[in-house]
Structures are given as structure tokens and as C-alpha cells.
Amino acid sequence: MSWDVLLMRAPAEVSGMDDLPRDFAPHPIGSLPDALGRLESELPEVDLSDPEWGVIEGPIWSIELNIGREDPLEAVMLHVRGGGDDVLTVILRIGQVLGCRALDTSTGDFLAEGRTEGWRAFQQYRDRVTNKPG
């Protein structure tokens, strides 16, 4: 079970999907080779041995980057597992590298530094339905 976060281009002034116009269509992130190059150069901890599915391993969490093979790259889905609030800093950094905002797909809100509500709610839900932490 993962917490899913969508990286996409979105205006800075909106706080969530409800603030976007119904006909909103985000601009592409950029060319696939350029996006992969930025990830590799600015996030040396990312494993892109399979460029369609990158991975970043943290001390008690992991992030899978569902990049795909479409060019230009429209969006990246992050599948986050584990625990610890430090993963949010990494998620926001990935978004910064790609020029994107990170959307918590469970709440419909864009993530911001220090806002841990969605991540913590996911962990509580996961622990309750799996009957175990982590």
C-alpha cells in the first residue's frame, strides 16, 4: 500500500485541485531525456537503472517514481511507503527539480513545507487496515 503523490505543473496560487478551473490542462514537465537528466544530476540518491520506475530509498521510507516513457513528460506519480516526516522534504525537492508541484491524491491538496496532515493520515489509515505499522 502506498501514499500516492502526483507531480505536475500547476499555478503557485492554488492550494488544491478544487481551485483549478475544470478545463485546466497542465503544461508538460519537459522532454523525457531532460527530466531524467535533471533528476540524475540534482538527486544523486535516485536510482534510475530503470528510467520508467525510479527509486529513492530513505532510512525508513521509499519513493517509487512512476515516470513512464512518454515524451514529453506530462506528470510523475510518486508511490511513497514507510514512515517519517523527512520524506516530505524529498518529495518537495523532486518537485522542485522537475518544476512541479506535489499533489496529495488522497486529499486533493498540494503539499507544502511543514504540512504533514495528508502523509500522517495515510499512515494511520494504512496501519489500521493492515493492522501493523510501517
Side-chain angles (χ1 to χ4, degrees):
M1 174 179 282
S2 67
W3 182 52
D4 297 333
V5 175
L6 179 66
L7 298 180
M8 60 184 260
R9 297 258 168 122
E13 64 273 5
V14 299
S15 62
M17 289 300 289
D18 290 341
D19 298 333
L20 294 171
R22 286 198 179 276
D23 61 348
F24 175 75
H27 293 290
I29 293 170
S31 78
L32 184 57
D34 178 61
L36 292 171
R38 283 185 279 157
L39 287 169
E40 284 183 320
S41 69
E42 298 191 41
L43 294 165
E45 65 272 26
V46 69
D47 175 358
L48 290 173
S49 54
D50 177 353
E52 293 181 31
W53 280 94
V55 177
I56 298 177
E57 296 286 343
I60 58 172
W61 50 260
S62 67
I63 303 172
E64 289 181 317
L65 294 82
N66 183 349
I67 298 167
R69 64 176 87 174
E70 288 190 28
D71 192 7
L73 183 61
E74 299 289 332
V76 173
M77 182 66 79
L78 305 179
H79 305 287
V80 184
R81 293 177 178 83
D85 290 346
D86 61 322
V87 73
L88 295 168
T89 302
V90 178
I91 292 168
L92 293 172
R93 176 75 178 127
I94 297 167
Q96 180 183 33
V97 166
L98 294 176
C100 295
R101 297 192 61 204
L103 179 74
D104 177 347
T105 63
S106 62
T107 65
D109 296 328
F110 287 102
L111 301 180
E113 194 68 45
R115 301 227 22 227
T116 60
E117 307 87 27
W119 172 231
R120 290 186 179 176
F122 164 77
Q123 292 174 85
Q124 290 172 352
Y125 171 77
R126 175 204 60 209
D127 295 349
R128 188 173 64 249
V129 299
T130 63
N131 207 19
K132 62 180 179 177

